[in-house]
Amino acid sequence: ITEGDSAVVVGIVDTGVNWMHPDLFPNIWQNPNWRTDTQYPGDSIGWDLGGTNGTPDNNPEEDFPYVPGQPLKEHGTHVAGIVAAVANNGIGVAGVAPKCKIMPVKVSEKDIVDPSTGEPLIVFGFEGILWAADHGARVINCSWGGPGYSPYEQDVIDYATAKGALVVAAAGNSSANEFGFEQFQSPADYNNVMCVAASDQSDYAAYFTNYGYNVTVSAPGVQIMSTIGTDSYTELSGTSMASPCAAGVAALVASEHPNYSPEQIMEQVRVSSDDINNIN
């Protein structure tokens, strides 16, 4: 029906995007107002809210290079490829919405990492949602999260929704039932968020995925091949991979129905999905 519309922009609020990757570069969003944006000078392709030491800058690429055989410290580049890697170009992979645009919004900070793994942590996630909403993202993907509820965070989601952006978020990888505040997963479980669990190639719930009534849909999240590094590809598993798949579908719906509200986009995806409860 559609491969997407270049007018539909998907915000990748994550650890950054290696935007020069040849399977991503043609689909990187271009900010038409960057020359006049005095608050975020030079934000022509996105924004880095964390920089190296908490000072924002205008280059939203990953902080740590991809080194084959070493622990993976990139995340956002893989997520971006699932949404909108270029199709029919003879290389790599094709995103779910390969004619939509990718808006890189880096919300990690180079000097704040997990001490046990060295992996970057999400520091400015909700600020990133605000930035993406204010700059015209139609869909905002958040392949991250953690426990705990905050009225401020719900206010951020509501603000983005009012701006016309659908927030899509990973359900989490703790094999937990997301029901009630005891297991509340932020941002996935807030109102107006499309909460995405992970399924495998047979439509069974992935062994790691969170589940429960707060989940909107499930999407493929096991051994997903996507972009990494500056010109490479690798397989990763997690609700982090399922979320951008669903975000890509949401972008296709937004392309086909440009007047739909975020709530209508989410509901269209939900009611069009296959019911897999009987095998789960």
Side-chain angles (χ1 to χ4, degrees), residues 12-273:
I12 308 297
V13 177
D14 215 292
T15 61
V17 175
N18 286 331
W19 49 272
M20 287 293 289
H21 193 294
D23 227 359
L24 300 177
F25 181 75
N27 281 346
I28 297 297
W29 167 77
Q30 302 286 314
N31 181 3
N33 302 313
W34 72 273
R35 294 183 185 276
T36 58
D37 194 340
T38 57
Q39 185 176 3
Y40 304 100
D43 59 341
S44 61
I45 58 167
W47 195 247
D48 179 353
L49 280 89
T52 58
N53 57 7
T55 302
D57 62 59
N58 65 350
N59 187 1
E61 68 180 358
E62 303 267 10
D63 283 330
F64 301 97
Y66 169 62
V67 181
Q70 294 188 11
L72 185 67
K73 296 183 180 180
E74 292 187 4
H75 190 266
T77 301
H78 198 270
V79 167
I82 295 170
V83 173
V86 180
N88 300 320
N89 60 350
I91 61 171
V93 297
V96 175
K99 290 188 178 177
C100 292
K101 293 297 182 181
I102 297 164
M103 175 192 286
V105 185
K106 179 174 169 287
V107 292
S108 59
E109 183 177 321
K110 188 174 184 180
D111 61 356
I112 299 181
V113 299
D114 185 319
S116 62
T117 64
E119 295 176 351
L121 299 175
I122 298 299
V123 185
F124 302 101
F126 284 87
E127 293 88 341
I129 293 172
L130 289 173
W131 197 95
D134 282 339
H135 286 78
R138 193 75 164 92
V139 180
I140 300 173
N141 185 77
C142 303
S143 285
W144 45 269
Y149 173 90
S150 162
Y152 163 75
E153 293 176 354
Q154 180 65 72
D155 286 346
V156 169
I157 300 299
D158 293 343
Y159 174 84
T161 304
K163 295 282 285 190
L166 172 62
V167 178
V168 182
N173 303 324
S174 302
S175 303
N177 187 345
E178 297 188 20
F179 186 74
F181 286 98
E182 296 82 4
Q183 295 287 350
F184 191 92
Q185 177 81 358
S186 166
D189 289 344
Y190 286 114
N191 294 332
N192 297 319
V193 174
M194 180 187 286
C195 175
V196 187
S199 55
D200 65 16
Q201 290 85 345
S202 299
D203 283 346
Y204 289 101
Y207 72 91
F208 51 78
T209 190
N210 288 359
Y211 58 94
Y213 288 110
N214 288 339
V215 170
T216 311
V217 290
S218 299
V222 177
Q223 295 179 313
I224 304 301
M225 182 70 75
S226 187
T227 48
I228 206 75
T230 56
D231 60 359
S232 300
Y233 304 85
T234 195
E235 287 185 354
L236 294 177
S237 298
T239 56
S240 284
M241 287 63 251
S243 182
C245 179
V249 175
L252 295 179
V253 173
S255 299
E256 189 73 4
H257 301 283
N259 295 323
Y260 273 16
S261 68
E263 296 93 336
Q264 286 175 308
I265 294 171
M266 176 163 56
E267 188 67 359
Q268 183 67 68
V269 175
R270 189 188 71 82
V271 300
S272 300
S273 63

